[in-house]
């Protein structure tokens, strides 16, 4: 059986539905390798894809991998960031 991954597609940089920049967000990227993230990004065929990783309880934040594009072959150029809980 093939693996399945939950994701949402958002329109960013707009307040009008279907008028912004489409962004795929994978809400649980646990266990995904850089290669798998790249393959999923290619499958989405959008300008960017974001992967959310588990929360870091000690730091009160979530880890993300952002800026993964269908043609980005160099993992160093992918940005990692942290989202803090308010």
């Amino acid at each position: 059986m093939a693996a399945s991954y939950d994701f949402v597609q958002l329109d960013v940089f707009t307040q009008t539905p279907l008028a912004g920049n489409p962004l795929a967000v994978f809400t649980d990227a646990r266990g995904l390798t850089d290669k798998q993230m790249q393959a999923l990004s290619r499958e989405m065929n959008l300008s960017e894809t974001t992967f959310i990783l588990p929360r870091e309880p000690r730091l009160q934040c979530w880890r993300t991998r952002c800026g993964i594009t269908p043609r980005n072959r160099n993992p160093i150029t992918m940005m990692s960031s942290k989202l803090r809980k308010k």
Side-chain angles (χ1 to χ4, degrees):
M1 175 183 263
S4 65
Y5 304 98
D6 292 332
F7 73 96
V8 294
Q9 185 171 324
L10 306 172
D11 284 320
V12 295
F13 309 120
T14 186
Q15 293 183 2
T16 305
L18 306 175
N21 185 32
L23 171 70
V25 179
F26 285 81
T27 56
D28 184 0
R30 280 181 289 192
L32 291 176
T33 66
D34 287 348
K35 209 175 224 184
Q36 289 170 314
M37 289 181 192
Q38 190 68 53
L40 287 166
S41 179
R42 270 193 306 276
E43 182 69 19
M44 296 294 101
N45 198 31
L46 300 174
S47 58
E48 287 190 41
T49 304
T50 296
F51 296 86
I52 299 177
L53 297 159
R55 189 169 81 85
E56 293 183 10
R58 182 176 60 84
L59 301 175
Q60 293 291 309
C61 64
W62 286 265
R63 295 178 298 136
T64 63
R65 296 290 304 273
C66 305
I68 300 173
T69 67
R71 291 168 190 68
N72 184 352
R73 299 190 199 300
N74 185 353
I76 293 171
T77 62
M78 292 186 259
M79 178 180 73
S80 291
S81 62
K82 297 182 183 213
L83 303 173
R84 294 208 178 271
K85 184 178 180 182
K86 289 190 175 192

